[in-house]
Amino acid sequence: MSVQEYLDKHMLSRKIEDAVNAAVRAKTPDPVLFISNHMRKSVSSAITKVKARQILDSRGIPTVEVDLYTNKGIFRGASPSGASSGMYEAMELRDGDKGTYLGNGVSRAVKNINEKISEALIGMDPTLQTQIDQVMIDLDKTEKKSELGVNAILAVSIAACKAGAAQKEVPLYKHIADLAGKTNFNLPVPAFTLINGGKYAGNSLAIQEIMILPVGARKFEEALQIGAETYHHLKAVITEKYGAHGCNVGEDGGYAPNISSFKEGLDLVKEAIGRTGYNDKVKIAINVAATEFCIGTKYDLDYKSPNKSGQNFKSGEDMIDMYKELCEAVYPVVSIEDPFDKEDWEHVKYFSGLGICQVVGDDLLMSNPKRVERAVQEAACNALNLKVNQVGTVTEAIEVVKLAKDANWGVVISQTSGETEDSFIADLSVGLATGQIKAGAPCRGERLAKYNQLLRIEVELGDEAVYVGDGWRHC
């Protein structure tokens, strides 16, 4: 490595220039000592060590955790993981050894951090998030981050973001806002998962989630109370109708009674809301995840019931009619995620054009900027479901949120099915002022980590705390 390459890698050329300029401005009698002290302070902010390990996510499947060291301390980041990887999202690196964790081990990703990423980042300033992320992207050299693994890159990116906040001595959400060029903070409306279905549960329900949005709450603290109380009332409703076994939970912590129809699940949630007395404060959202049961151009709502599968096929037009009924008359459904297959652009465009609810793209978009740009151009949906593991770095997450907000879309910062105790997405939602967060049910530690962090942020902000409430779609 040449002298210039060393200076460029550690950004010392700019630090030296900054020190000289500072000495000139200070008119110090001893510029050499002044520059020396200035440089020592600057260099002390550098990343000194990056160490990764394999941990387990909320499903008991391995994922990557990183400790990043600076003079301010040790900063930890962990990579969440989805139930499946789409062709348009960044790719995890798994070991593939079926004899260990059924092939899901991440020792190769861990090794990439400890041997390659660590060497590239040591000496860098943790406040320079964009440069840190770009170094890892350049080191990987693939479009989907498949060489190093998005699970390796993301864990480091999150840890670096926390280190950057500590270096600036500001809260994490404030640092994220600075990175995004934002000055306003708000507390998002949480989408609490109450019922799980689809691939997240062993029942016969085709759709993946039924959620509630406490849009009428005055504070996030009240929103969390509404979510928790409704969740517990739902348990009582399900127990009365199906027995205690109906209260088994899915991967997000939502209950998974053995129901098979949309309406059966919505009726349960509606009754639970009624028992709380929060009818005027709560709306309903559903995550259909229709790609899971799309067969050709038809949708099989009984795909999880072998004895019925094929008997309840719906066309795209049938699905639209069903959604219109849910939104316009029967239930207070205000948001539908992935109402059609990820490649069924025509039906999702038509449905979005009706303007009857928020239409969220998850499988449709996979947090991929190119897919988001296409959806914006074609008016295919009006909200982004952002999962940081689908893009891979904090910088790219900020960029794709900006892309969505520039189109006047709603933005949902989202959990994954394989979560960790890392509460990073809570700060991300506040720092980017997204207005919506989806972190699962108001139970289970890996889900509550996010909600409890939002409580802390609200207390910290005090009188400056703003809960978006009715402004959840456009804040």
Side-chain angles (χ1 to χ4, degrees), residues 304-318:
K304 295 175 71 178
S305 302
N307 58 327
K308 294 182 180 179
S309 185
Q311 299 178 26
N312 193 18
F313 278 127
K314 300 283 187 183
S315 67
E317 290 74 18
D318 293 334

Side-chain angles (χ1 to χ4, degrees), residues 325-435:
E325 180 183 4
L326 298 179
C327 294
E328 293 178 343
V330 183
Y331 304 98
V333 174
V334 296
S335 180
I336 300 180
E337 181 179 331
D338 281 341
F340 303 97
D341 178 71
K342 67 178 183 295
E343 301 299 347
D344 192 350
W345 289 84
E346 292 309 310
H347 283 114
V348 76
K349 282 193 290 186
Y350 178 82
F351 182 58
S352 294
L354 297 177
I356 59 177
C357 71
Q358 175 177 257
V359 181
V360 184
D362 180 15
D363 292 337
L364 178 75
L365 305 175
M366 299 182 195
S367 305
N368 184 309
K370 293 180 181 178
R371 299 279 287 191
V372 173
E373 287 173 354
R374 176 182 174 182
V376 169
Q377 291 169 0
E378 300 185 21
C381 57
N382 51 41
L384 164 70
N385 192 68
L386 176 76
K387 294 176 179 174
V388 289
N389 61 301
Q390 292 181 332
V391 286
T393 66
V394 173
T395 300
E396 289 165 298
I398 292 171
E399 290 171 352
V400 77
V401 167
K402 185 177 187 302
L403 190 61
K405 280 182 168 283
D406 285 348
N408 201 34
W409 281 16
V411 177
V412 185
I413 298 292
S414 180
Q415 61 165 12
T416 63
S417 59
E419 270 297 336
T420 71
E421 301 93 334
D422 196 325
S423 62
F424 178 76
I425 64 170
D427 285 83
L428 187 67
S429 69
V430 176
L432 299 184
T434 62

Side-chain angles (χ1 to χ4, degrees), residues 195-207:
I195 290 181
N196 270 143
K199 66 167 61 176
Y200 285 5
N203 55 14
S204 299
L205 183 63
I207 64 173

Side-chain angles (χ1 to χ4, degrees), residues 14-85:
R14 194 173 74 182
K15 291 174 182 176
I16 292 170
E17 183 179 351
D18 289 344
V20 171
N21 290 335
V24 171
R25 289 194 300 271
K27 299 179 180 179
T28 175
D30 191 344
V32 174
L33 179 61
F34 184 94
I35 291 171
S36 176
N37 290 335
H38 192 286
M39 285 295 297
R40 187 179 297 111
K41 181 179 179 181
S42 178
V43 172
S44 69
S45 69
I47 296 169
T48 58
K49 182 180 178 181
V50 183
K51 185 68 176 177
R53 66 180 67 84
Q54 176 175 275
I55 63 169
L56 297 185
D57 68 19
S58 58
R59 303 164 302 175
I61 296 175
T63 191
V64 179
E65 182 177 80
V66 170
D67 287 342
L68 185 145
Y69 296 69
T70 74
N71 70 305
K72 290 285 188 178
I74 304 172
F75 305 93
R76 182 165 292 166
S79 180
S81 176
S84 60
S85 295

Side-chain angles (χ1 to χ4, degrees), residues 109-386:
V110 168
K111 183 178 181 182
N112 283 340
I113 294 172
N114 292 339
E115 295 183 1
K116 296 179 180 179
I117 294 177
S118 177
E119 180 182 356
L121 298 189
I122 287 176
M124 291 190 70
D125 184 338
T127 65
L128 303 178
Q129 186 74 38
T130 301
Q131 289 90 326
I132 289 170
D133 290 341
Q134 192 61 52
V135 165
M136 292 191 286
I137 291 170
D138 293 343
L139 189 64
D140 180 89
K141 296 185 179 70
T142 68
E143 183 179 357
K144 296 184 179 180
K145 302 177 177 66
S146 56
E147 179 67 26
L148 298 176
V150 69
N151 41 351
I153 292 172
L154 177 59
V156 176
S157 184
I158 290 173
C161 193
K162 293 177 181 179
Q167 188 61 43
K168 290 163 59 177
E169 298 183 345
V170 298
L172 179 56
Y173 61 84
K174 174 66 166 61
H175 177 50
I176 291 170
D178 289 345
L179 294 173
K182 300 186 70 66
T183 57
N184 62 307
F185 310 117
N186 58 46
L187 279 296
V189 168
F192 294 113
T193 303
L194 294 191
I195 290 181
N196 270 143
K199 66 167 61 176
Y200 285 5
N203 55 14
S204 299
L205 183 63
I207 64 173
Q208 201 153 282
E209 295 170 277
I210 300 176
M211 300 163 281
I212 60 167
L213 305 171
V215 297
R218 294 163 299 171
K219 299 174 60 179
F220 182 82
E221 180 182 21
E222 183 186 358
L224 185 56
Q225 178 183 337
I226 290 172
E229 290 180 4
T230 308
Y231 184 79
H232 289 295
H233 277 290
L234 179 61
K235 182 177 182 179
V237 171
I238 292 173
T239 301
E240 292 166 13
K241 293 181 180 292
Y242 304 96
H245 66 277
C247 295
N248 292 332
V249 299
E251 290 189 355
D252 287 350
Y255 295 117
N258 194 25
I259 56 179
S260 58
S261 74
F262 287 37
K263 293 183 178 180
E264 195 174 0
L266 289 167
D267 283 336
L268 292 172
V269 171
K270 193 173 180 181
E271 183 173 345
I273 294 170
R275 291 191 185 187
T276 66
Y278 294 129
N279 300 66
D280 296 336
K281 295 185 176 183
V282 175
K283 301 297 182 182
I284 294 177
I286 59 176
N287 174 15
V288 181
T291 296
E292 295 301 320
F293 53 89
C294 181
I295 302 174
T297 60
K298 301 287 187 179
Y299 295 89
D300 183 4
L301 298 182
D302 288 326
Y303 84 104
K304 295 175 71 178
S305 302
N307 58 327
K308 294 182 180 179
S309 185
Q311 299 178 26
N312 193 18
F313 278 127
K314 300 283 187 183
S315 67
E317 290 74 18
D318 293 334
M319 298 290 280
I320 288 172
D321 289 340
M322 180 176 63
Y323 297 142
K324 286 171 65 177
E325 180 183 4
L326 298 179
C327 294
E328 293 178 343
V330 183
Y331 304 98
V333 174
V334 296
S335 180
I336 300 180
E337 181 179 331
D338 281 341
F340 303 97
D341 178 71
K342 67 178 183 295
E343 301 299 347
D344 192 350
W345 289 84
E346 292 309 310
H347 283 114
V348 76
K349 282 193 290 186
Y350 178 82
F351 182 58
S352 294
L354 297 177
I356 59 177
C357 71
Q358 175 177 257
V359 181
V360 184
D362 180 15
D363 292 337
L364 178 75
L365 305 175
M366 299 182 195
S367 305
N368 184 309
K370 293 180 181 178
R371 299 279 287 191
V372 173
E373 287 173 354
R374 176 182 174 182
V376 169
Q377 291 169 0
E378 300 185 21
C381 57
N382 51 41
L384 164 70
N385 192 68
L386 176 76

